[in-house]
Amino acid sequence: MTRQSRTIPAGSERSLHQAYDTALLDLDGVVYAGGEAIAHAVDSLAAARADGMHLAYVTNNALRTPDAVAEHLSELGIPTEAGEVITSAQAVARLIAEQVEPGSKVLVIGGEGLRAALRERGLVPVDSAEEEGLAAVVQGYGGPDLPWGRFAEASYAINRGVPWYASNTDLTIPGPRGIAPGNGAAVEVVRIATGAEPQVAGKPLPPMHRETVLRTGAKRPLVVGDRLDTDIEGAFNGDVDSLLVLTGVTDGAQLLRAEPKYRPTYVDRDLRGLLTGQPDVVAADGGGFRCGGWSAVALDGVLELRGDDGGPLELDAVDGLRALCAAAWTQAGDGSCGLDAGKALARLGL
């Protein structure tokens, strides 16, 4: 399945954990939420690993070190080694190391994950814009308690012409109390103060995909995520297949409106989708598309959904969403679908 042909969700006769050698899994919204494991995640990942699939955890959050992330996952019941965790901090550290001299000083606006990644690349993290020989400024998520003065420190250096890098530009980050400002929001603060633009490494941009492939050696990877604008777009940019799970920030309405770069190869409810095949979405008699017991068609500016006899309670709602995606994406072509899907999605409870 190539990125040019994603007008309908794909089917797969083989279970995904057998069709792909490595799952590149996002964390927040996919494996855990608010620090706790998402339903079915632990058992699904254990089964996939036991049957030979390699698991790698790929996160734009640059705050924690791979060791800390691996420890957290292991505590949740998902045994993980630090080498199985790839962070945007590692991706941006490699990007910087390729452009500055070994042993260069880098002003860090962020947490320990960023500092550890820089040290791994032979760079020296520092805290002051006044450091002699400063070669770069790097910005990554530093947690909710990052002092405001750190943004000023970055601005002083960038305004003097020091190159600026960012681990990622996710505007928000999920937390136990809801959605909070992410590193992208902090990057905007510095952008306003400097008028500069950082080089960005994290999803959905190529440096993160390259870092992941280099560290995992994946030959046929499957990106698994909950966000269209990082996980799925990152897979699109890397020309690899993706699975969107509905356990995080993306809802049915956003999925139906997705432009081509945001359209996943597969859609499923949660990580149990790794362990199964994916049903085919096919053209329906009389127009539209069919998946399972559902059919969807675009009529007079509205997406209509029809279910087989037996009632919707006996049908898989995700099959209905797959059929709706095919109808919406085909109608939209290379754009974003503007059809009204409210009633159809309400019927599915999605």
Side-chain angles (χ1 to χ4, degrees):
M1 184 85 172
T2 65
R3 63 186 185 183
Q4 286 78 19
S5 61
R6 289 179 188 165
T7 54
I8 63 173
S12 176
E13 292 186 2
R14 301 176 66 193
S15 65
L16 298 185
H17 79 291
Q18 295 173 333
Y20 298 88
D21 70 338
T22 306
L24 306 179
L25 296 130
D26 184 46
L27 289 173
D28 288 316
V30 176
V31 178
Y32 54 65
E36 299 298 323
I38 287 173
H40 310 294
V42 174
D43 291 344
S44 297
L45 293 174
R49 184 192 289 274
D51 212 19
M53 187 179 216
H54 298 293
L55 306 179
Y57 302 94
V58 185
T59 177
N60 262 358
N61 192 328
L63 179 60
R64 294 190 294 173
T65 65
D67 287 295
V69 174
E71 182 179 358
H72 179 205
L73 289 170
S74 297
E75 289 172 351
L76 294 178
I78 306 169
T80 305
E81 301 292 333
E84 296 172 309
V85 178
I86 301 93
T87 73
S88 64
Q90 293 171 321
V92 77
R94 186 186 297 271
L95 186 64
I96 296 169
E98 291 172 343
Q99 299 181 29
V100 304
E101 295 295 324
S104 292
K105 297 177 181 179
V106 180
L107 174 61
V108 176
I109 313 300
E112 181 55 30
L114 205 48
R115 295 172 183 275
L118 291 169
R119 289 192 289 264
E120 181 187 19
R121 291 286 153 212
L123 301 171
V124 180
V126 300
D127 293 318
S128 173
E130 305 310 313
E131 284 279 352
E132 185 176 350
L134 190 63
V137 177
V138 64
Q139 193 169 356
Y141 182 67
D145 299 322
L146 187 69
W148 186 260
R150 301 305 297 153
F151 304 141
E153 205 68 26
S155 300
Y156 301 147
I158 295 164
N159 279 327
R160 293 203 310 267
V162 178
W164 179 27
Y165 300 81
S167 64
N168 68 294
T169 52
D170 294 5
L171 290 174
T172 62
I173 187 168
R177 296 173 58 193
I179 302 298
N183 191 55
V187 166
E188 286 299 314
V189 171
V190 177
R191 182 184 282 118
I192 291 168
T194 63
E197 291 290 336
Q199 292 188 54
V200 184
K203 297 183 286 187
L205 297 173
M208 187 66 169
H209 181 72
R210 180 183 58 156
E211 189 72 20
T212 300
V213 171
L214 286 173
R215 287 182 180 268
T216 64
K219 303 300 183 184
R220 184 163 167 74
L222 178 70
V223 170
V224 185
D226 70 309
R227 298 183 71 113
L228 301 180
D229 60 348
T230 53
D231 306 316
I232 305 308
E233 185 181 2
F236 177 90
N237 289 338
D239 204 12
V240 299
D241 289 349
S242 60
L243 167 65
L244 177 79
V245 291
L246 302 175
T247 48
V249 301
T250 300
D251 60 23
Q254 292 169 321
L255 182 59
L256 296 182
R257 292 194 300 268
E259 299 174 18
K261 65 182 179 179
Y262 300 136
R263 296 172 187 168
T265 314
Y266 310 104
V267 180
D268 221 313
R269 190 180 300 275
D270 51 49
L271 284 177
R272 288 176 294 181
L274 280 176
L275 306 177
T276 65
Q278 293 287 307
D280 288 324
V281 181
V282 299
D285 294 339
F289 293 88
R290 183 179 184 85
C291 184
W294 295 101
S295 60
V297 64
L299 290 173
D300 300 323
V302 176
L303 279 173
E304 292 190 2
L305 186 68
R306 302 159 185 166
D308 286 345
D309 292 341
L313 292 179
E314 297 181 14
L315 303 177
D316 185 343
V318 180
D319 283 345
L321 182 60
R322 295 178 180 117
L324 286 170
C325 284
W329 297 348
T330 300
Q331 190 274 341
D334 291 336
S336 176
C337 178
L339 298 174
D340 182 357
K343 289 184 178 179
L345 290 172
R347 187 176 181 189
L348 294 174
L350 296 173

